[in-house]
Amino acid sequence: MRADGVSLGKLLLALDTTLVQLIQAPRGLDLPVASAALIDQDDVALGLAAGAGAADVFFLLGLHDVDAMRWIDRHGAAPTAIFVKKPSEALIARATASGIAVVAVDPQARWERLYRLVDHVFEHHGNRADAWYDSGTDLFGLAQSIADRVHGMVSIEDAQSHVLAYSASNDEADDLRRLSILGRAGPPEHLEWLSQWGIFDALRTSDGVVSVAARPELGLQPRLAIGIHHPAVDQRRPPEFAGAIWVQQGSRPLSEDAEEILRGAAVLAARIMSRLAARPSTHTLRVQELLGLTATEVDVGAVARELDVVADGRVAVIGFDTPSHHSRLADILALSASAFRSDALVASNGSRVYVLLPQTSRTTSVTSWLRGTIASLHAELGLSLRAVIAAPVAGLGAAAQARSEIDRALDSAERHPVAFGEVTSLAEARTAVLIDEIVTLITADDRFLDPRVRELRDHDPVLAETLHAYLDGFGDVAAVAERLHVHPNTVRYRVRRAEQLLSTSLSDPDVRLLLSLNLRATV
């Protein structure tokens, strides 16, 4: 991820001590930070880890101390900071000696959660005094404004209970708030209690403020909550539940007008969430422009400079078809792509997620990463994904055309999944795609359908299927008979009978082509 920049101090202030804690900053907190990359143990072991000059801050995912220190020593240009879970004294000392700030990440934090928040900070590059914290334009600003006004700790969640924004925390934050911010599910006993008392149902079905009593035995502090609702397009339907605002009370009582403030905050939150859903970030918009997903004419060179990537040279474009019900999959794929390549560009469009990899001359490692990612998501989340890769592509200027070709392949794969593997190159898919599109055109227009084929299908579907198999099998009677589990003479008889009913001869290549396409179109 890359943007115009924000100081390290402002970045840490925005992330809050719930997620991160500064250990050392040998060069101070005023150094600019504009990009982040991820490195895991496999990257180091395989020699794929990005150089220090490729990003300002690095997230070190599961690196052993020895490998982390070797990585630091290997690069002359020190990054601004490294983010590590449970950094050792040796690693802290080595990083500090190299002028690198060390930021400890809460061990229970999800890396994809931290990645998204850092991306958000980069996008708005502000602090609590800037427009990024303006309650009229940003959920973080709204959360902090509510907290300041009602004297509580605020979090704003979506309909799936994922935390979207939160105010500053203090040492009175309970486990439910802390773990929710870290991207982890709340303690099961807490969630079960809230569910049993109908709290979640009340938030979904009512526009009133819900009071949640303290449960000292669970360490659960008192709360107020209110549902966020979008007006339904059809006025006859109830409003659509979009999320909730939670206010945890600390030792200081909430303000007397806290419920009134929350009712107004729910209206503002609904407006902001609607705008955010309709408006992609500047970074995402630029990637969408490169991929031809907008109607805007693109100055490829200018966009490349803005994204800090090289416009020339061969690139790779990858398209994923994702389950539409999985709301976080685009973020998870972005996390994986950025761990693989710090300059990876990711954008989504509906159920499709696209990864653009600049300067990719060899596709072996890309294909290996693709297969590994798909296998991991299947093993860990039970998801079945399909990907199509276009590579090598002649520069960023050709990325839009490549993405269009990938969409054609993914569309065909939706109609005929058996013809495509989990990972398919554009070259491998081209024949299947063109045949599928031709057959689709024939199916959509009766003028292209030979009525004799339709009559054969209706009159004797067994003859039609045998003829279809015969044409697909290049007239190899023995192979077709084995496939259909019949005697070769049966195949010969059925083919002759089909010729008679169609009043034609299969000795004519044009007839064979026409019948083959029509038989595919009338299945």
Side-chain angles (χ1 to χ4, degrees):
M1 66 180 82
R2 187 170 287 274
D4 292 336
V6 59
S7 72
L8 177 61
K10 289 179 179 179
L11 174 62
L12 298 178
L13 177 64
L15 293 177
D16 195 70
T17 56
T18 303
L19 271 173
V20 299
Q21 180 180 359
L22 177 67
I23 303 300
Q24 290 287 351
R27 292 185 286 168
L29 295 175
D30 293 329
L31 291 177
V33 177
S35 59
L38 303 100
I39 296 178
D40 62 19
Q41 189 67 38
D42 288 341
D43 293 331
V44 176
L46 297 174
L48 301 175
D56 297 320
V57 298
F58 282 86
F59 301 155
L60 306 188
L61 283 65
L63 258 66
H64 302 312
D65 278 357
V66 172
D67 290 324
M69 289 188 284
R70 185 183 299 121
W71 174 78
I72 290 173
D73 294 340
R74 191 176 298 161
H75 303 285
T80 300
I82 55 174
F83 286 65
V84 191
K85 291 185 178 181
K86 296 182 178 179
S88 67
E89 292 297 330
L91 178 58
I92 294 171
R94 184 69 60 85
T96 303
S98 300
I100 304 171
V102 180
V103 181
V105 179
D106 190 289
Q108 297 187 75
R110 288 190 179 275
W111 284 110
E112 66 265 24
R113 170 66 178 152
L114 180 60
Y115 181 90
R116 283 195 298 171
L117 288 173
V118 171
D119 189 34
H120 186 93
V121 176
F122 286 165
E123 178 62 31
H124 294 275
H125 49 82
N127 60 23
R128 297 187 189 279
D130 293 337
W132 188 68
Y133 279 92
D134 179 354
S135 62
T137 61
D138 187 83
L139 288 175
F140 275 88
L142 177 62
Q144 192 60 48
S145 296
I146 300 169
D148 292 342
R149 182 65 178 76
V150 304
H151 316 312
M153 289 171 280
V154 177
S155 59
I156 302 176
E157 299 180 353
D158 65 13
Q160 289 75 42
S161 298
H162 300 140
V163 175
L164 301 175
Y166 53 89
S167 65
S169 302
N170 56 41
D171 55 8
E172 295 178 333
D174 62 16
D175 283 347
L176 181 58
R177 172 180 172 82
R178 191 177 63 84
L179 291 176
S180 297
I181 290 175
L182 292 173
R184 302 283 177 178
E189 59 271 22
H190 291 187
L191 300 179
E192 182 180 357
W193 184 82
L194 291 172
S195 180
Q196 286 179 350
W197 279 82
I199 303 300
F200 293 130
D201 289 339
L203 292 174
R204 289 184 174 90
T205 59
S206 168
D207 58 0
V209 177
V210 179
S211 179
V212 182
R215 289 294 298 268
E217 72 278 14
L218 296 177
L220 187 68
Q221 298 299 315
R223 277 172 167 72
L224 292 180
I226 188 169
I228 303 169
H229 297 88
H230 294 313
V233 177
D234 185 345
Q235 297 298 321
R236 295 170 295 181
R237 294 182 175 274
E240 175 189 356
F241 177 68
I245 302 175
W246 295 83
V247 182
Q248 183 208 315
Q249 180 179 327
S251 57
R252 182 181 182 182
L254 299 179
S255 64
E256 293 183 0
D257 59 352
E259 293 192 11
E260 180 181 350
I261 297 299
L262 278 182
R263 282 190 286 270
V267 175
L268 285 176
R271 291 176 185 169
I272 295 171
M273 290 168 71
S274 294
R275 287 199 298 269
L276 291 175
R279 177 180 58 84
S281 69
T282 302
H283 175 91
T284 299
L285 186 60
R286 295 293 178 265
V287 180
Q288 289 176 339
E289 289 173 354
L290 286 178
L291 292 170
L293 295 171
T294 68
T296 309
E297 282 196 27
V298 183
D299 182 336
V300 174
V303 172
R305 287 190 294 273
E306 184 175 345
L307 296 174
D308 196 23
V309 295
V310 177
D312 300 328
R314 294 179 174 182
V315 305
V317 184
I318 304 153
F320 291 87
D321 221 343
T322 65
S324 57
H325 65 274
H326 201 292
S327 60
R328 295 174 55 217
L329 192 54
D331 293 327
I332 294 172
L333 287 173
L335 178 67
S336 178
S338 298
F340 172 62
R341 285 272 300 271
S342 62
D343 58 349
L345 304 174
V346 182
S348 60
N349 185 34
S351 65
R352 302 267 166 87
V353 178
Y354 306 96
V355 177
L356 177 56
L357 299 174
Q359 291 188 294
T360 302
S361 57
R362 299 181 61 186
T363 61
T364 305
S365 61
V366 177
T367 303
S368 177
W369 166 72
L370 269 176
R371 296 190 186 281
T373 297
I374 290 175
S376 296
L377 292 179
H378 185 268
E380 296 173 9
L381 301 178
L383 297 174
S384 297
L385 302 184
R386 179 178 289 107
V388 175
I389 175 174
V393 176
L396 293 182
Q401 180 62 34
R403 191 274 312 160
S404 177
E405 296 291 322
I406 286 172
D407 275 345
R408 291 172 61 189
L410 291 174
D411 289 342
S412 292
E414 285 183 4
R415 293 188 288 265
H416 305 286
V418 177
F420 293 81
E422 284 184 338
V423 177
T424 307
S425 72
L426 209 54
E428 293 169 336
R430 194 169 303 282
T431 298
V433 169
L434 290 173
I435 292 295
D436 173 59
E437 291 179 344
I438 291 170
V439 170
T440 301
L441 288 173
I442 294 172
T443 305
D445 193 332
D446 287 341
R447 294 178 305 165
F448 299 141
L449 283 172
D450 188 328
R452 296 174 300 172
V453 175
R454 178 70 70 187
E455 291 171 6
L456 180 65
R457 283 264 185 216
D458 295 340
H459 175 72
D460 197 328
V462 174
L463 287 185
E465 283 303 313
T466 302
L467 180 59
H468 191 178
Y470 179 80
L471 293 170
D472 280 357
F474 299 101
D476 187 337
V477 173
V480 173
E482 183 177 355
R483 173 183 165 189
L484 298 179
H485 306 292
V486 297
H487 194 277
N489 287 339
T490 302
V491 174
R492 294 187 182 95
Y493 168 76
R494 290 177 181 176
V495 170
R496 287 196 300 271
R497 181 61 180 154
E499 284 183 298
Q500 292 171 358
L501 291 174
L502 293 170
S503 302
T504 190
S505 171
L506 296 181
S507 62
D508 187 335
D510 289 341
V511 170
R512 294 197 300 270
L513 174 61
L514 177 66
L515 292 179
S516 180
L517 291 173
N518 273 253
L519 285 166
R520 289 173 182 266
T522 54
V523 172

